[in-house]
Amino acid sequence: MPSVRSFTVLPALPDSLSALDGLARNLYWSWNPPFIELFKRIDPALWAACGHNPVKLLGNVAQPRLETLAQNESFCSELDRISETLGSYLEAPTWFQKVCGNPADVVIAYFSAEFGLHECLPIYAGGLGILAGDHLKSASDLGIPIVGVGLMYQKGYFRQCLNIDGWQQENYMENDLFNMPAELVRKSSGRPLTIGVEYPGRTVQAQVWCISVGRLKLYLLDTNIPANSPGDRMITSSLYGGDRELRMRQEILLGIGGLKALTAMDINPTVCHMNEGHAAFMALERIRQLRSTTNMTFEEAVEATRSGNVFTTHTIVKAGLDEFEVDLMDKYFGGYFPHLGINRRQFLALGRMLPDDDNEPFKMPVLAIKLSSYLNGVSKLHGQISREVWGSLWPGLPAREVPIISITNGIHLKTWLSDEVSSLYDRYLGPVWSQSVFDKSVWDQVHQIPDEELWSAHQRCKDQLIVFARKRLMTQMQRRGTCQGELRQAEEVLDPEALTIGFARRFVAYKRGDLLLRDMERLTRLVNRADRPVQIIFAGKAHPKDNSGKEIIRHIIHSSSQEQVRRRILFLEDYDIDIARFLVRGVDVWLNNPRRPMEASGTSGMKAAVNGVLNMSTLDGWWCEGYVPDGGWIIGAGENYENPDYQDTVESQALYNVLENEVIPLFFTRSADNLPRAWIQRMKTCIRWVAPRFNTHRMLAEYTRRFYCPAAARYRYLTGDAMAKAKAFAQWKAEIRQTWSEFAIKEVLLNTSNGNGGEQLNPRQPQLKVGAELTVRALIRLGRVQPRDVAVELYHGPTDSWGNIREGAAIPMAYEQKAGEDGEHWFAGRMACQATGQHGVAVRVLPSHPDQSNPFDLGLVLWERS
């Protein structure tokens, strides 16, 4: 092969247009319509052909056109105004400064395998990436000091096309990184900054790309450089592609390489947030780096770093939880774990539910859980399910007390709102509504929007969707070689007056993408009523290796090709942010019917709701919190079934019933001026409820208050004074674990009081009356441990038929006195009897230290045993 010397060609912008380059390279434009309109104005056709990528646009626009624009006073004036808008945004005081001050030493590193910021940056696959992109946008708006860390994929996720049989085909397109809104991080010499990551028998080099997202930076690692072997250049080839070993290499690069890259750029995070388990190796590298610069044991370094680690779990579906076989862990980490100061058994135990099970694979979520102090699921229901799934990591602890909280996902409103609806909010909620989106009182004014204006805005979005969908369908049919007569039929699909249902998401069995097609005879009658027509638009991809998901897509294609429904049911190929934008703004109803309780959160329905689109969903994920009776519909009543096929049958019939009896009649009930006023009232109720609660500004504020600020403070505290606090805390934990087997609850005495003195409770006939007070004294053997190092509690609540306490609560017991010389002590507590029925009470002992992140930090609990 010839020697090729690379160089970069930049657009030759006239001086008066030079600001365009800076605007194009900051993704702030992606959530600000005036910026987008400015780029579109340069050359509308080229803007579309460039995939809405302003960097590529500027590199391809004809030089005469640029010269013409440079002489256009109107364009230059708008460019100056837009530039000032960005400058003011970057310099303005922020919510974070107002609420948290401006601590210069707080840096939050947010690690994610994918980021969905815009369709011109195809480094995302689905909901996880879209959430990560919205996370960064809201962090920028709020001024939260986050840096994003991810991978720069050469091919990103696959492009979807369907063959004539409806079977999904995957094509991978090469990303032109130098024509994307990203720049290489360079050293002072001008050469690209690279970092080295150790793999078996070699060091892999990675360069770092930087993407500006408003006030924030996103850093993406890329191994496709000449210094690496062809195989290692493929590590960042594609998202979620390849085999388990490639996934291992990617996750090592993301976690270990990502932290090394930050260090190389002198960015020292106080808090590290792992968005799903893909980035969990970061926690190991954080320990290794700390040990390499301080004289700390593994346990001490764990306490220091763990205090500043946050982990968000996104799924309970096994396919979404990464795990690696032991032989693969040995291959890639056999030379790594000695740097941690632990042996192989201790290392493998970090990723196992059962530390001594030699057959158990290494689970990335378990590693992240064990090395993080702050843990959350992404909806209330998902938090509950996560506590049940991972609860055995805290043996003996009731599921409701497992320290995994819920912070429900949200969306970045300005990204997903249509211009039409956004302008209504400007007029009727006030021009600063977007700066206080989680202020519920702002959204109370939604009902002041005139019905006709809201409906007109929605209809314009619907018209845009139909035009877009027809063009996409025409392109799909041409690619498949459809005859000219059938191509003309594409111009007739979809009716602007029909009730339009949208279903778009990843196609996987539990999401049941074809549930609506389960009874085609009934559906055919439903969509073809002349006076009440209904139409359905589907979109979404299946994972390349998920044949069951591909079968669902094929079922939809075959069903939609039937003569009776082909104008009413449509599948749009290659679902991406651009298609999602049209769908969530333009349909009338957003359908979501996952098999409960498999949906962790889901955010597409939130995007639809803030545009006034009504949701119809099973009670799963976010809809358990998002549903209000006058703001949408539920399918079923939240039941769980053991037989999934029976569940699908029951809930498909429930879906048809809701459509036929509630949704369709409401939509087509019109007033004298042809407005569906009852429907519009539901739209307003939906917006008023969903918008302030399910946005990423609220989500980020919650992360900041509950996780980021406490984690940063705790990290500074434990790592200050030459790591003295971390070392002392680790030593205390070691002593507690060493002596825990000596602890015992020796005796428990129960007495009751009704205000006229106390008496001992009859153990054979333990009966109390409402208003009585139960006093419990417990003799606890602590051995060498001091009473201040434990918390003794009364755990009480109603009991079930097996005698187990359900929905229990804990009451602290106070230290009374020492009992002899054998390390035994008396503790006492009181509880009021406030409700009738069968109740239970138990005594338990927990380790207690002021530096614990939660009472269950050690995973140790001692219960009274009969």
Side-chain angles (χ1 to χ4, degrees):
M1 292 290 290
S3 176
V4 177
R5 301 181 184 278
S6 299
F7 56 93
T8 305
V9 179
L10 300 175
L13 295 174
D15 289 344
S16 60
L17 303 183
S18 60
L20 280 172
D21 187 64
L23 294 177
R25 294 183 184 280
N26 190 319
L27 266 291
Y28 182 68
W29 60 260
S30 69
W31 69 92
N32 285 275
F35 288 60
I36 296 172
E37 286 302 314
L38 182 73
F39 290 123
K40 187 176 179 181
R41 186 173 166 184
I42 293 172
D43 188 328
L46 187 59
W47 171 252
C50 290
H52 309 145
N53 177 349
V55 174
K56 189 173 182 179
L57 170 75
L58 295 179
N60 285 273
V61 68
Q63 202 65 32
R65 175 58 179 162
L66 291 175
E67 298 296 342
T68 300
L69 289 171
Q71 304 302 317
N72 186 317
E73 287 188 19
S74 170
F75 186 87
C76 291
S77 174
E78 181 67 2
L79 174 57
D80 290 342
R81 189 185 70 80
I82 292 294
S83 298
E84 289 176 8
T85 299
L86 177 59
S88 298
Y89 172 84
L90 296 177
E91 298 298 326
T94 67
W95 173 88
F96 185 83
Q97 292 170 337
K98 197 178 302 181
V99 173
C100 307
N102 193 21
D105 58 343
V106 174
V107 178
I108 301 144
Y110 181 79
F111 291 76
S112 181
E114 49 175 304
F115 286 90
L117 290 158
H118 190 264
E119 62 265 25
C120 75
L121 278 166
I123 54 171
Y124 63 92
L128 180 76
I130 303 301
L131 176 78
D134 284 7
H135 193 109
L136 293 191
K137 291 173 185 176
S138 275
S140 172
D141 289 343
L142 297 175
I144 301 170
I146 284 179
V147 293
V149 182
L151 302 180
M152 179 62 96
Y153 303 100
Q154 272 70 56
K155 296 179 181 177
Y157 205 46
F158 69 89
R159 306 295 301 273
Q160 178 197 54
C161 61
L162 306 181
N163 66 18
I164 197 69
D165 186 42
W167 190 256
Q168 174 180 286
Q169 310 286 302
E170 297 91 27
N171 294 321
Y172 289 88
M173 308 293 289
E174 196 83 28
N175 285 330
D176 183 359
L177 304 185
F178 289 92
N179 267 322
M180 290 166 64
E183 296 180 88
L184 278 174
V185 176
R186 298 182 183 274
K187 297 183 284 190
S188 57
S189 65
R191 296 183 65 82
L193 173 74
T194 60
I195 55 106
V197 181
E198 298 301 318
Y199 287 83
R202 73 221 188 262
T203 300
V204 174
Q205 300 295 317
Q207 61 187 4
V208 183
W209 294 86
C210 176
I211 295 174
S212 296
V213 186
R215 296 182 173 96
L216 310 184
K217 301 295 184 185
L218 166 61
Y219 296 103
L220 303 171
L221 277 67
D222 170 19
T223 64
N224 187 20
I225 56 178
N228 294 325
S229 68
D232 288 334
R233 294 181 72 160
M234 296 296 289
I235 291 174
T236 52
S237 59
S238 61
L239 175 60
Y240 304 144
D243 57 14
R244 299 305 299 166
E245 189 160 2
L246 178 59
R247 179 68 69 89
M248 167 75 82
R249 292 173 183 169
Q250 289 183 333
E251 297 189 0
I252 288 173
L253 184 66
L254 173 62
I256 296 176
L259 197 63
K260 282 189 170 187
L262 294 180
T263 302
M265 293 183 288
D266 293 323
I267 299 172
N268 300 302
T270 44
V271 178
C272 290
H273 185 167
M274 292 166 277
N275 188 41
E276 198 41 271
H278 310 115
F281 291 140
M282 177 281 303
L284 297 176
E285 177 63 12
R286 204 174 186 194
I287 294 167
R288 189 202 64 78
Q289 288 189 8
L290 191 60
R291 275 178 43 81
S292 71
T293 57
T294 62
N295 183 27
M296 300 183 81
T297 66
F298 173 76
E299 289 77 15
E300 292 166 347
V302 166
E303 293 312 320
T305 58
R306 186 172 174 268
S307 65
N309 286 347
V310 174
F311 173 55
T312 299
T313 177
H314 285 267
T315 183
I316 59 169
V317 179
K318 183 175 175 60
L321 300 172
D322 273 347
E323 57 182 42
F324 300 107
E325 295 301 323
V326 173
D327 59 348
L328 208 54
M329 295 303 299
D330 285 337
K331 178 178 178 179
Y332 281 87
F333 285 90
Y336 185 90
F337 65 74
H339 295 291
L340 301 175
I342 55 177
N343 59 36
R344 177 179 180 273
R345 183 188 60 78
Q346 291 171 306
F347 173 73
L348 292 174
L350 291 172
R352 286 173 166 167
M353 301 285 287
L354 301 172
D356 297 323
D357 183 358
D358 292 337
N359 296 315
E360 183 179 349
F362 190 95
K363 296 179 172 64
M364 296 296 280
V366 173
L367 176 66
I369 288 170
K370 289 185 176 181
L371 296 181
S372 299
S373 286
Y374 301 89
L375 310 167
N376 75 286
V378 290
S379 69
K380 287 183 179 179
L381 178 60
H382 182 238
Q384 174 191 324
I385 300 298
S386 296
R387 287 189 287 273
E388 296 170 1
V389 169
W390 305 113
S392 61
L393 293 172
W394 292 265
L397 197 64
R400 69 196 307 263
E401 290 188 303
V402 168
I404 301 175
I405 69 165
S406 61
I407 295 181
T408 300
N409 283 345
I411 61 164
H412 185 254
L413 287 187
K414 290 193 72 176
T415 293
W416 297 104
L417 268 179
S418 69
D419 294 350
E420 290 77 8
V421 173
S422 183
S423 64
L424 288 180
Y425 294 167
D426 289 342
R427 287 207 299 277
Y428 293 101
L429 273 59
V432 296
W433 68 266
S434 61
Q435 299 171 25
S436 52
V437 295
F438 47 84
D439 181 353
K440 297 181 180 64
S441 64
V442 170
W443 296 92
D444 289 340
Q445 301 175 76
V446 165
H447 283 287
Q448 296 186 25
I449 300 174
D451 288 358
E452 56 273 18
E453 289 193 40
L454 181 57
W455 189 246
S456 176
H458 174 67
Q459 283 298 108
R460 290 197 298 276
C461 292
K462 190 172 182 179
D463 291 341
Q464 293 166 13
L465 167 63
I466 289 174
V467 170
F468 173 83
R470 286 173 176 171
K471 287 181 179 178
R472 293 288 295 217
L473 180 60
M474 183 80 72
T475 303
Q476 292 171 197
M477 295 173 74
Q478 287 173 334
R479 182 189 53 75
R480 294 181 201 162
T482 306
C483 66
Q484 199 64 33
E486 290 183 359
L487 280 177
R488 283 194 294 271
Q489 294 174 358
E491 300 172 359
E492 303 171 4
V493 301
L494 303 180
D495 176 359
E497 300 302 319
L499 171 67
T500 305
I501 299 171
F503 183 99
R505 54 190 37 83
R506 181 166 57 93
F507 279 90
V508 64
Y510 80 85
K511 292 181 184 285
R512 301 188 296 185
D514 56 352
L515 188 69
L516 189 56
L517 311 180
R518 200 169 175 90
D519 186 341
M520 276 303 295
E521 185 177 335
R522 188 173 180 182
L523 180 63
T524 301
R525 292 196 303 271
L526 185 147
V527 301
N528 281 320
R529 280 193 56 174
D531 57 333
R532 294 180 173 184
V534 176
Q535 57 200 14
I536 307 142
I537 303 176
F538 290 95
K541 298 177 178 179
H543 187 279
K545 296 180 181 178
D546 183 3
N547 285 335
S548 64
K550 292 181 181 182
E551 285 289 358
I552 293 173
I553 294 175
R554 180 157 63 178
H555 182 205
I556 293 171
I557 298 301
H558 285 199
S559 299
S560 63
S561 64
Q562 296 178 21
E563 178 63 28
Q564 306 96 312
V565 299
R566 61 180 177 78
R567 289 184 177 86
R568 299 295 188 199
I569 303 177
L570 175 63
F571 189 97
L572 298 180
E573 294 179 15
D574 202 27
Y575 186 48
D576 65 357
I577 290 176
D578 193 31
I579 294 178
R581 197 181 289 121
F582 279 96
L583 283 173
V584 299
R585 296 170 177 178
V587 298
D588 299 304
V589 173
W590 193 257
L591 176 63
N592 187 30
N593 40 234
R595 192 178 290 126
R596 178 184 165 103
M598 304 300 289
E599 185 82 281
S601 178
T603 57
S604 59
M606 303 173 190
K607 300 176 182 82
V610 298
N611 283 289
V613 174
L614 300 181
N615 275 259
M616 179 168 56
S617 175
T618 50
L619 278 174
D620 200 10
W622 81 282
W623 193 235
C624 297
E625 304 159 62
Y627 169 70
V628 286
D630 294 328
W633 294 274
I634 55 173
I635 303 165
E639 311 97 327
N640 293 333
Y641 296 82
E642 291 186 7
N643 185 327
D645 188 63
Y646 177 68
Q647 180 174 359
D648 293 352
T649 299
V650 169
E651 293 183 343
S652 66
Q653 293 302 310
L655 171 55
Y656 294 128
N657 290 339
V658 172
L659 280 171
E660 291 170 347
N661 300 323
E662 298 183 43
V663 178
I664 296 172
L666 188 70
F667 182 82
F668 287 103
T669 299
R670 304 298 171 102
S671 58
D673 53 3
N674 198 35
L675 287 177
R677 292 194 178 271
W679 184 279
I680 296 169
Q681 290 309 305
R682 277 193 181 243
M683 292 172 65
K684 293 179 179 179
T685 299
C686 171
I687 294 168
R688 179 172 172 266
W689 177 260
V690 171
R693 291 170 174 83
F694 299 97
N695 64 76
T696 41
H697 278 37
R698 184 276 310 157
M699 184 186 84
L700 262 295
E702 203 169 342
Y703 272 116
T704 298
R705 291 185 172 116
R706 302 179 74 175
F707 283 1
Y708 293 160
C709 285
R714 193 160 175 267
Y715 179 79
R716 289 194 301 265
Y717 168 77
L718 286 177
T719 57
D721 193 20
M723 309 288 172
K725 293 290 185 182
K727 291 179 179 180
F729 188 36
Q731 178 63 30
W732 175 82
K733 279 191 170 183
E735 291 174 356
I736 291 293
R737 288 194 178 99
Q738 185 179 2
T739 59
W740 189 254
S741 61
E742 302 173 12
F743 287 22
I745 300 174
K746 302 286 291 183
E747 188 175 1
V748 176
L749 302 176
L750 276 64
N751 290 275
T752 182
S753 170
N754 58 12
N756 299 319
E759 59 182 29
Q760 188 166 343
L761 196 65
N762 183 347
R764 294 182 179 178
Q765 195 176 10
Q767 294 181 335
L768 298 172
K769 292 186 177 180
V770 172
E773 185 177 71
L774 184 66
T775 301
V776 181
R777 297 182 72 236
L779 180 63
I780 312 294
R781 185 179 70 207
L782 300 177
R784 295 166 286 166
V785 172
Q786 297 299 310
R788 66 173 177 272
D789 292 326
V790 299
V792 182
E793 296 177 338
L794 285 180
Y795 187 78
H796 69 96
T799 58
D800 58 23
S801 59
W802 296 92
N804 299 313
I805 295 173
R806 52 184 172 83
E807 299 182 3
I811 297 174
M813 297 178 71
Y815 179 70
E816 272 194 341
Q817 63 187 30
K818 189 174 183 180
E821 300 298 325
D822 295 329
E824 296 183 352
H825 306 266
W826 283 102
F827 292 79
R830 294 178 174 80
M831 57 166 285
C833 299
Q834 298 175 331
T836 59
Q838 194 74 9
H839 291 256
V841 63
V843 174
R844 70 180 184 186
V845 181
L846 300 166
S848 179
H849 191 281
D851 292 343
Q852 287 178 282
S853 59
N854 63 73
F856 316 110
D857 196 5
L858 276 80
L860 298 174
V861 55
L862 174 67
W863 293 92
E864 174 194 5
R865 299 296 179 188
S866 55

